[in-house]
Amino acid sequence: MQITEHMYLVASGDMGLALTHPQDCNVYAIKVQDGFLLVDSGVGVEPEKIETVLEKDGLSPEKMRAILLTHGHADHSGGAAYFQKQYGAQIIGPKAEKEFVEQALEGPLGLDIARQAGFYPADYRLAPCVFSDCVSPGDTRTIFGMLFEVYEAAGHSIGGVCYRAKIDGKQTLFVGDLISADGKISLQNIPGAEIAAYSRSVLALENVEIEALMTGHGHFMLNRGVVPIKKVCSKFRNLAVPENIF
């Protein structure tokens, strides 16, 4: 589904637009030099549905150049191994979670707990992939001609990140699961979910220029993307815990 001239939504599960597998996160494609990038990769179950969406949008899967992972939770990173194997896509993700994703460590990613709770099928397993590069908050990367700035997103997971880039004239933040478009947080009873880190991550975004807010689930915002961030910051600054999506 084309969103702007250079940006597409190519996967979304039942917490979003139900384009692809029910457990998929929102996966975005960005046109770059000689191909496209993905931001996150879905859960890795029925990835051919993502390929179908790509093809309908005129994006040949063979031109997938890289995948930027916001964090290692399976609904975001589970498809990376498939796309790396099929198309040679480079995998770029947070340094703090590199080991967990590369070795498919279920404990630190909360996958074992989430599977027991019914978030994933009983036979689901995360496939390991190999990072081509890893990033930390404060880093910048030019990836196939597009400049990305990296911001902290710890608190939802152990060491997730957000990516900001100027796309079609707008400062666009790929926020993963840190904040929803209606100004809620995603704090679960899993490893890495920690309120002080969450507060630090969100407050660091308070004065960042953000027009488009591309969320990990649910609807996204093409304008006024800073509004839900300000809403969550206000709660944290008043020593409160913002509303949780769960």
Side-chain angles (χ1 to χ4, degrees):
M1 185 180 81
Q2 189 166 10
I3 301 171
T4 67
E5 182 179 357
H6 291 90
M7 184 164 57
Y8 301 75
L9 180 71
V10 298
S12 184
D14 286 356
M15 291 180 68
L17 298 185
L19 286 176
T20 53
H21 190 272
Q23 269 77 46
D24 278 343
C25 67
N26 289 346
V27 178
Y28 301 97
I30 309 165
K31 282 186 177 178
V32 292
Q33 296 172 356
D34 192 36
F36 65 91
L37 314 174
L38 293 184
V39 179
D40 288 324
S41 64
V43 73
V45 181
E46 300 177 340
E48 63 274 7
K49 291 186 175 181
I50 299 178
E51 293 170 322
T52 297
V53 176
L54 287 167
E55 289 165 351
K56 286 181 177 178
D57 285 334
L59 300 171
S60 171
E62 287 76 14
K63 290 198 170 184
M64 186 185 303
R65 301 306 182 211
I67 301 170
L68 282 67
L69 298 178
T70 59
H71 60 294
H73 288 168
D75 54 333
H76 292 255
S77 71
Y82 173 85
F83 294 125
Q84 184 173 60
K85 181 179 179 180
Q86 291 294 113
Y87 306 113
Q90 297 179 21
I91 309 299
I92 301 164
K95 183 177 181 179
E97 298 185 1
K98 176 179 184 288
E99 178 184 4
F100 311 150
V101 177
E102 288 193 327
Q103 298 183 32
L105 299 179
E106 295 191 354
L109 295 173
L111 175 56
D112 51 351
I113 298 172
R115 190 171 52 234
Q116 291 169 16
F119 278 84
Y120 300 100
D123 61 351
Y124 177 80
R125 296 296 184 271
L126 180 66
C129 62
V130 178
F131 279 29
S132 303
D133 190 13
C134 51
V135 296
S136 299
D139 287 350
T140 60
R141 291 288 190 279
T142 299
I143 303 171
F144 291 94
M146 180 165 287
L147 178 65
F148 289 88
E149 299 171 335
V150 184
Y151 293 85
E152 185 176 16
H156 170 73
S157 68
I158 288 174
V161 296
C162 306
Y163 300 93
R164 188 178 76 144
K166 195 164 190 177
I167 302 174
D168 297 321
K170 292 186 177 182
Q171 291 291 355
T172 301
L173 185 72
F174 297 92
V175 75
D177 289 348
L178 191 68
I179 297 176
S180 68
D182 54 355
K184 297 177 183 178
I185 63 173
S186 179
L187 188 67
Q188 298 169 281
N189 183 23
I190 59 174
E194 201 272 310
I195 196 66
Y198 218 122
S199 175
R200 182 179 67 245
S201 295
V202 176
L203 290 172
L205 296 171
E206 188 172 20
N207 296 311
V208 176
E209 182 184 354
I210 299 165
E211 295 168 274
L213 186 71
M214 314 313 291
T215 58
H217 298 277
H219 70 280
F220 46 83
M221 300 179 72
L222 298 181
N223 294 289
R224 299 179 294 281
V226 74
V227 172
I229 294 172
K230 296 281 190 183
K231 178 181 176 180
V232 175
C233 285
S234 177
K235 289 287 187 179
F236 278 134
R237 288 202 179 282
N238 284 290
L239 309 184
V241 176
E243 187 177 355
N244 197 7
I245 63 171
F246 292 98

